[in-house]
Amino acid sequence: AAGVIQSPRHLIKEKRETATLKCYPIPRHDTVYWYQQGPGQDPQFLISFYEKMQSDKGSIPDRFSAQQFSDYHSELNMSSLELGDSALYFCASSPLGHSEGDTQYFGPGTRLTVL
Amino acid sequence: DAKTTQPPSMDCAEGRAANLPCNHSTISGNEYVYWYRQIHSQGPQYIIHGLKNNETNEMASLIITEDRKSSTLILPHATLRDTAVYYCIVRVGDSGGGADGLTFGKGTHLIIQP
């Protein structure tokens, strides 16, 4: 079965640079979620989108922004990167608008390293 | 969302049933119990969820007490590949929770011993 696709899988950036992470949800899924997992920590929810509108917001820094496009893929934009932004970033998707429940299915993640 | 309490770690022998407990004494009537697991540095994997009835799928069984204040995830025949951190999450589910994010607690690190 098709899964959530994230790209790139690995990314290395310098401090103060910008990064863009991409997420392609499971086909027919209209809702995407972003999570951050620092070293040795549990995943923390950042933000979610349903039908291209921001739906829920967690602990997302002001330096980060995200959007969902007409094809339902989503991008997480991160600016003025700091060492502490080094983490795994997971995207999840769910078929919320199709009355198939809202179980979230996660992608493999993007490992961001800030030097 | 209601808070959950899980033991930090558990061991289980390969081939035996692994029983992972979760306490959620403040669960509300419209909140479901979800279980996810995360194998080292991989994306969290959905296992199962339920409201009040026991549930079973190809991965596991979920037993919820009658008062819904606790539940147990059962992996019937644990293998080495089941070694992971298991998260019990309580939230309004099946579209009632909208696009709300999941709140991951500390979870239980399950180690399957050969």
Side-chain angles (χ1 to χ4, degrees), chain A residues 23-79:
Chain A
C23 169
Y24 298 86
I26 293 170
R28 282 180 47 84
H29 284 199
D30 51 15
T31 309
V32 294
Y33 313 76
W34 286 97
Y35 293 82
Q36 177 192 57
Q37 185 173 27
Q41 299 181 4
D42 303 297
Q44 297 290 317
F45 170 68
L46 294 178
I47 196 167
S48 64
F49 291 84
Y50 168 59
E51 280 293 340
K52 292 153 284 191
M53 298 288 289
Q54 181 182 311
S55 182
D56 190 18
K57 195 172 183 180
S59 51
I60 184 169
D62 292 340
R63 299 177 289 107
F64 293 7
S65 64
Q67 57 182 324
Q68 185 181 30
F69 296 85
S70 58
D71 64 351
Y72 297 110
H73 93 272
S74 178
E75 295 182 3
L76 177 66
N77 299 294
M78 311 159 69
S79 63

Side-chain angles (χ1 to χ4, degrees), chain B:
Chain B
D1 294 336
K3 290 188 177 180
T4 62
T5 304
Q6 300 177 251
S9 65
M10 292 182 63
D11 287 347
C12 179
E14 188 177 18
R16 303 296 295 269
N19 296 275
L20 292 91
C22 179
N23 287 320
H24 31 79
S25 58
T26 61
I27 192 170
S28 300
N30 63 346
E31 289 183 314
Y32 286 68
V33 180
Y34 283 77
W35 283 84
Y36 283 79
R37 73 180 182 183
Q38 186 175 29
I39 298 169
H40 182 63
S41 294
Q42 296 182 21
Q45 179 186 22
Y46 165 76
I47 301 173
I48 198 167
H49 75 284
L51 182 63
K52 54 183 178 181
N53 297 322
N54 297 337
E55 302 287 342
T56 295
N57 63 19
E58 65 278 3
M59 287 184 68
S61 294
L62 174 60
I63 308 298
I64 303 173
T65 58
E66 193 169 342
D67 63 7
R68 304 208 321 122
K69 292 185 177 181
S70 66
S71 60
T72 301
L73 178 74
I74 301 172
L75 307 178
H77 305 287
T79 71
L80 298 179
R81 289 180 295 180
D82 292 323
T83 292
V85 177
Y86 287 76
Y87 295 98
C88 170
I89 299 170
V90 171
R91 68 183 296 263
V92 177
D94 278 4
S95 304
D100 291 352
L102 298 175
T103 301
F104 287 83
K106 288 299 177 187
T108 295
H109 187 194
L110 175 66
I111 300 171
I112 306 301
Q113 304 282 3

